[in-house]
Amino acid sequence: MAAGSCLLLLLLSSLVTASHSPPGCKIRITSKGLDLVKQEGLRFVEQELHNITVSDLHGNEGQFQYNISQVKVTDLQLASSDLNFQPQQHLVFDINNASISLRFRRQLLYWFFYDIGSINASADGVHIYTVLQLAKDEAGRLKISNMTCNASIARMHAGFSGTLRKVYEFLSTFIVTGMRFLLSQQICPSLEHASLVLLNSLLDTVPVRNYVDEHIGIDYSLLRDPFISTDTLDLDFKGMFFPRVREDQELENHAVEPVIKETERMVYVAFSEYFFDSAMHSYFQAGVLTIELQGEKIPKDLEVLLRATFFGTIFMLSPSVDAPLRLVLQVSAPPRCIIKPSGTSVSVSAFLNISLVPPDRPPVQLSSMAMETKLSAKVFLQGKALRVQLDLRRYGWGPVGALGESPPHPTHNCFLLSRFRIYSKQSALESLALFSLQAPLKTLLQLTIMPIINERTKKGVQIPLPEGMDFTREVVTNHAGFLTVGADLHFSKGLREVIEKYRPVPTATAHSSSQPAEPSLDPSSL
């Protein structure tokens, strides 16, 4: 009985752990960010309501026959609107006291009198209350999964002109009531299409699982549904890189879970050590953490020193003393990232093989040594790309500031001392003999190899934001086990522009069938 209980507890704990796996990347949108989204969203709602299609209104009262058609929205005033977080998964968009101006075509037949003209109308006291439910879909993408909407019109007025103006004014209550009903019935379907179709197409532009370069990719799938409080929206992303040669490979996340407490900026993005470790693990698995230098790529001073150090070996083993040297630096284990409040570093272990390469003969190995180094890492944003610049030098960094500029501008208040040492894999005695090479090889690593590595990672990796939304005034802050990027947002493209870019092109048949028919001008059709 006790054994069964223990087994059940272990099973339950494993299920809880699996359902609450820590994110490698976390994004928080604050109420300030939501205010910016509201401004752009309000413009989008205005555009959608301008395109409302209202059915024709026709009928008869005794000898009076009428037809109202070609209803168009001419003006829209959304005087008061709010976009708020609603725990646990909802956004509430509330529009109060709005007004909608309309213009439509009238046709009237009363006994033998036929009248045609236009009517200007105004719907006042319009109230639209919309609740959007956010969730992750099967692919791990953020989606608007459901929407509820209520729309009402408090008052509607119509102005009439023409020969039968008095008749229209007599029947205005009937016509205006019908138009008010038809208009209120079209508001929510229009917004539902805008949310569940158009806005979801915008969310489709957020990268979920895509390639970073020819070697690795990134998985930004959501681990769980978004969590919404009264002031923030939190998104937990997997944040795991993978080698393209083994795309199904999973790396367990044992890192500290990022915790975002700040709310002063519009958005915060947090990255754990796991995020960076998985990138370096993927590059290691892809077999690209190897650099070869030969001939002119080796600095002349270092070549002279190496030939002097290994002169005896060269003289004994190679008939061609002047054969070119070759240096092969190969990382021996996946590098590890260490994030502390004082700064970010990367620990690397590697082998350095030094050989002579005589023409038309097999290479002659002179030495094989192990290298251990701790590199200083600068993490910064450039556009929407997160970039890392590695360095071996000691840094004295200045005040925390914006990172819209290229490195080496300061990001932290700290000093980091990079570490570098070499030793022989064969014996301690040979390690002592290699001591004189430590400073030159460190210089080689800094001046020759580090630029190659930084050039390879220059592109960076995109942060999961929709197209048309960019960061401004970014600040990077280190914590124990993770770092955060606080930033403001701005729209480089409008919602409509991005949506239209990805809107499916309708077929000719579908396009023609969707066009409303022109109302008849023949009184006999009424």
Side-chain angles (χ1 to χ4, degrees), residues 367-385:
S367 178
S368 179
M369 64 188 75
M371 300 176 61
E372 291 181 356
T373 181
K374 182 177 286 187
L375 307 174
S376 298
K378 276 190 176 181
V379 181
F380 62 98
L381 279 179
Q382 196 163 44
K384 280 194 292 190

PDB file of all heavy atoms in Angstrom, residues 367-385:
ATOM      1  N   SER A 367      51.983  19.352 -32.040  1.00  0.00           N
ATOM      2  CA  SER A 367      51.484  19.384 -30.672  1.00  0.00           C
ATOM      3  C   SER A 367      49.962  19.357 -30.691  1.00  0.00           C
ATOM      4  O   SER A 367      49.326  19.810 -31.648  1.00  0.00           O
ATOM      5  CB  SER A 367      51.964  20.656 -29.953  1.00  0.00           C
ATOM      6  OG  SER A 367      51.450  20.708 -28.638  1.00  0.00           O
ATOM      7  N   SER A 368      49.413  18.795 -29.635  1.00  0.00           N
ATOM      8  CA  SER A 368      47.968  18.814 -29.412  1.00  0.00           C
ATOM      9  C   SER A 368      47.750  19.251 -27.974  1.00  0.00           C
ATOM     10  O   SER A 368      48.158  18.562 -27.037  1.00  0.00           O
ATOM     11  CB  SER A 368      47.359  17.431 -29.651  1.00  0.00           C
ATOM     12  OG  SER A 368      45.964  17.459 -29.409  1.00  0.00           O
ATOM     13  N   MET A 369      47.160  20.402 -27.822  1.00  0.00           N
ATOM     14  CA  MET A 369      46.995  20.968 -26.480  1.00  0.00           C
ATOM     15  C   MET A 369      45.530  21.267 -26.196  1.00  0.00           C
ATOM     16  O   MET A 369      44.720  21.440 -27.121  1.00  0.00           O
ATOM     17  CB  MET A 369      47.830  22.238 -26.337  1.00  0.00           C
ATOM     18  CG  MET A 369      47.414  23.376 -27.249  1.00  0.00           C
ATOM     19  SD  MET A 369      48.578  24.765 -27.185  1.00  0.00           S
ATOM     20  CE  MET A 369      49.942  24.118 -28.147  1.00  0.00           C
ATOM     21  N   ALA A 370      45.187  21.275 -24.937  1.00  0.00           N
ATOM     22  CA  ALA A 370      43.830  21.617 -24.507  1.00  0.00           C
ATOM     23  C   ALA A 370      43.782  23.090 -24.121  1.00  0.00           C
ATOM     24  O   ALA A 370      44.759  23.642 -23.595  1.00  0.00           O
ATOM     25  CB  ALA A 370      43.415  20.752 -23.333  1.00  0.00           C
ATOM     26  N   MET A 371      42.669  23.712 -24.387  1.00  0.00           N
ATOM     27  CA  MET A 371      42.472  25.128 -24.065  1.00  0.00           C
ATOM     28  C   MET A 371      41.185  25.280 -23.263  1.00  0.00           C
ATOM     29  O   MET A 371      40.174  24.640 -23.558  1.00  0.00           O
ATOM     30  CB  MET A 371      42.377  25.974 -25.339  1.00  0.00           C
ATOM     31  CG  MET A 371      43.593  25.912 -26.226  1.00  0.00           C
ATOM     32  SD  MET A 371      43.360  26.850 -27.761  1.00  0.00           S
ATOM     33  CE  MET A 371      43.085  28.482 -27.130  1.00  0.00           C
ATOM     34  N   GLU A 372      41.243  26.101 -22.258  1.00  0.00           N
ATOM     35  CA  GLU A 372      40.052  26.468 -21.495  1.00  0.00           C
ATOM     36  C   GLU A 372      39.991  27.986 -21.439  1.00  0.00           C
ATOM     37  O   GLU A 372      40.984  28.639 -21.114  1.00  0.00           O
ATOM     38  CB  GLU A 372      40.102  25.898 -20.072  1.00  0.00           C
ATOM     39  CG  GLU A 372      39.962  24.396 -20.012  1.00  0.00           C
ATOM     40  CD  GLU A 372      39.986  23.878 -18.593  1.00  0.00           C
ATOM     41  OE1 GLU A 372      40.192  24.712 -17.674  1.00  0.00           O
ATOM     42  OE2 GLU A 372      39.795  22.670 -18.397  1.00  0.00           O
ATOM     43  N   THR A 373      38.826  28.532 -21.751  1.00  0.00           N
ATOM     44  CA  THR A 373      38.689  29.983 -21.735  1.00  0.00           C
ATOM     45  C   THR A 373      37.293  30.377 -21.292  1.00  0.00           C
ATOM     46  O   THR A 373      36.324  29.639 -21.495  1.00  0.00           O
ATOM     47  CB  THR A 373      38.983  30.592 -23.127  1.00  0.00           C
ATOM     48  OG1 THR A 373      38.863  32.003 -23.071  1.00  0.00           O
ATOM     49  CG2 THR A 373      38.000  30.067 -24.165  1.00  0.00           C
ATOM     50  N   LYS A 374      37.217  31.495 -20.669  1.00  0.00           N
ATOM     51  CA  LYS A 374      35.930  32.089 -20.300  1.00  0.00           C
ATOM     52  C   LYS A 374      35.834  33.421 -21.019  1.00  0.00           C
ATOM     53  O   LYS A 374      36.630  34.335 -20.787  1.00  0.00           O
ATOM     54  CB  LYS A 374      35.815  32.288 -18.791  1.00  0.00           C
ATOM     55  CG  LYS A 374      34.468  32.870 -18.364  1.00  0.00           C
ATOM     56  CD  LYS A 374      34.350  32.993 -16.859  1.00  0.00           C
ATOM     57  CE  LYS A 374      34.153  31.634 -16.221  1.00  0.00           C
ATOM     58  NZ  LYS A 374      33.876  31.770 -14.758  1.00  0.00           N
ATOM     59  N   LEU A 375      34.874  33.514 -21.937  1.00  0.00           N
ATOM     60  CA  LEU A 375      34.729  34.688 -22.787  1.00  0.00           C
ATOM     61  C   LEU A 375      33.699  35.651 -22.199  1.00  0.00           C
ATOM     62  O   LEU A 375      32.662  35.226 -21.694  1.00  0.00           O
ATOM     63  CB  LEU A 375      34.286  34.272 -24.195  1.00  0.00           C
ATOM     64  CG  LEU A 375      35.130  33.212 -24.891  1.00  0.00           C
ATOM     65  CD1 LEU A 375      34.486  32.808 -26.202  1.00  0.00           C
ATOM     66  CD2 LEU A 375      36.548  33.723 -25.124  1.00  0.00           C
ATOM     67  N   SER A 376      33.987  36.936 -22.287  1.00  0.00           N
ATOM     68  CA  SER A 376      32.983  37.941 -21.946  1.00  0.00           C
ATOM     69  C   SER A 376      31.959  38.005 -23.078  1.00  0.00           C
ATOM     70  O   SER A 376      32.308  37.937 -24.254  1.00  0.00           O
ATOM     71  CB  SER A 376      33.640  39.314 -21.770  1.00  0.00           C
ATOM     72  OG  SER A 376      34.563  39.289 -20.711  1.00  0.00           O
ATOM     73  N   ALA A 377      30.700  38.115 -22.714  1.00  0.00           N
ATOM     74  CA  ALA A 377      29.627  38.140 -23.709  1.00  0.00           C
ATOM     75  C   ALA A 377      28.797  39.406 -23.549  1.00  0.00           C
ATOM     76  O   ALA A 377      28.302  39.681 -22.453  1.00  0.00           O
ATOM     77  CB  ALA A 377      28.745  36.911 -23.577  1.00  0.00           C
ATOM     78  N   LYS A 378      28.665  40.148 -24.619  1.00  0.00           N
ATOM     79  CA  LYS A 378      27.758  41.297 -24.654  1.00  0.00           C
ATOM     80  C   LYS A 378      26.481  40.890 -25.368  1.00  0.00           C
ATOM     81  O   LYS A 378      26.515  40.429 -26.501  1.00  0.00           O
ATOM     82  CB  LYS A 378      28.395  42.456 -25.402  1.00  0.00           C
ATOM     83  CG  LYS A 378      29.307  43.324 -24.591  1.00  0.00           C
ATOM     84  CD  LYS A 378      29.666  44.560 -25.401  1.00  0.00           C
ATOM     85  CE  LYS A 378      30.502  45.526 -24.584  1.00  0.00           C
ATOM     86  NZ  LYS A 378      30.835  46.729 -25.370  1.00  0.00           N
ATOM     87  N   VAL A 379      25.371  41.065 -24.724  1.00  0.00           N
ATOM     88  CA  VAL A 379      24.068  40.765 -25.308  1.00  0.00           C
ATOM     89  C   VAL A 379      23.365  42.085 -25.585  1.00  0.00           C
ATOM     90  O   VAL A 379      23.249  42.933 -24.694  1.00  0.00           O
ATOM     91  CB  VAL A 379      23.222  39.892 -24.367  1.00  0.00           C
ATOM     92  CG1 VAL A 379      21.881  39.566 -25.006  1.00  0.00           C
ATOM     93  CG2 VAL A 379      23.973  38.612 -24.012  1.00  0.00           C
ATOM     94  N   PHE A 380      22.892  42.257 -26.811  1.00  0.00           N
ATOM     95  CA  PHE A 380      22.250  43.516 -27.166  1.00  0.00           C
ATOM     96  C   PHE A 380      21.248  43.276 -28.291  1.00  0.00           C
ATOM     97  O   PHE A 380      21.238  42.215 -28.931  1.00  0.00           O
ATOM     98  CB  PHE A 380      23.293  44.566 -27.586  1.00  0.00           C
ATOM     99  CG  PHE A 380      24.096  44.188 -28.796  1.00  0.00           C
ATOM    100  CD1 PHE A 380      23.776  44.661 -30.050  1.00  0.00           C
ATOM    101  CD2 PHE A 380      25.200  43.354 -28.667  1.00  0.00           C
ATOM    102  CE1 PHE A 380      24.523  44.315 -31.158  1.00  0.00           C
ATOM    103  CE2 PHE A 380      25.955  42.999 -29.761  1.00  0.00           C
ATOM    104  CZ  PHE A 380      25.613  43.484 -31.021  1.00  0.00           C
ATOM    105  N   LEU A 381      20.387  44.251 -28.487  1.00  0.00           N
ATOM    106  CA  LEU A 381      19.384  44.194 -29.549  1.00  0.00           C
ATOM    107  C   LEU A 381      19.790  45.093 -30.698  1.00  0.00           C
ATOM    108  O   LEU A 381      20.299  46.197 -30.490  1.00  0.00           O
ATOM    109  CB  LEU A 381      18.020  44.642 -29.034  1.00  0.00           C
ATOM    110  CG  LEU A 381      17.171  43.628 -28.270  1.00  0.00           C
ATOM    111  CD1 LEU A 381      15.879  44.280 -27.832  1.00  0.00           C
ATOM    112  CD2 LEU A 381      16.882  42.408 -29.115  1.00  0.00           C
ATOM    113  N   GLN A 382      19.531  44.621 -31.898  1.00  0.00           N
ATOM    114  CA  GLN A 382      19.676  45.450 -33.088  1.00  0.00           C
ATOM    115  C   GLN A 382      18.436  45.211 -33.944  1.00  0.00           C
ATOM    116  O   GLN A 382      18.286  44.175 -34.563  1.00  0.00           O
ATOM    117  CB  GLN A 382      20.951  45.098 -33.848  1.00  0.00           C
ATOM    118  CG  GLN A 382      21.358  46.158 -34.856  1.00  0.00           C
ATOM    119  CD  GLN A 382      22.800  45.984 -35.272  1.00  0.00           C
ATOM    120  OE1 GLN A 382      23.250  44.878 -35.533  1.00  0.00           O
ATOM    121  NE2 GLN A 382      23.546  47.064 -35.353  1.00  0.00           N
ATOM    122  N   GLY A 383      17.530  46.186 -33.918  1.00  0.00           N
ATOM    123  CA  GLY A 383      16.216  45.965 -34.509  1.00  0.00           C
ATOM    124  C   GLY A 383      15.441  44.980 -33.652  1.00  0.00           C
ATOM    125  O   GLY A 383      15.304  45.157 -32.442  1.00  0.00           O
ATOM    126  N   LYS A 384      14.961  43.891 -34.276  1.00  0.00           N
ATOM    127  CA  LYS A 384      14.298  42.832 -33.523  1.00  0.00           C
ATOM    128  C   LYS A 384      15.208  41.622 -33.345  1.00  0.00           C
ATOM    129  O   LYS A 384      14.767  40.562 -32.912  1.00  0.00           O
ATOM    130  CB  LYS A 384      13.003  42.408 -34.228  1.00  0.00           C
ATOM    131  CG  LYS A 384      11.846  43.340 -33.965  1.00  0.00           C
ATOM    132  CD  LYS A 384      10.515  42.743 -34.381  1.00  0.00           C
ATOM    133  CE  LYS A 384      10.365  42.570 -35.864  1.00  0.00           C
ATOM    134  NZ  LYS A 384       8.995  42.212 -36.266  1.00  0.00           N
ATOM    135  N   ALA A 385      16.491  41.778 -33.685  1.00  0.00           N
ATOM    136  CA  ALA A 385      17.432  40.664 -33.593  1.00  0.00           C
ATOM    137  C   ALA A 385      18.230  40.750 -32.296  1.00  0.00           C
ATOM    138  O   ALA A 385      18.782  41.801 -31.965  1.00  0.00           O
ATOM    139  CB  ALA A 385      18.372  40.672 -34.793  1.00  0.00           C
TER     140      ALA A 385
END
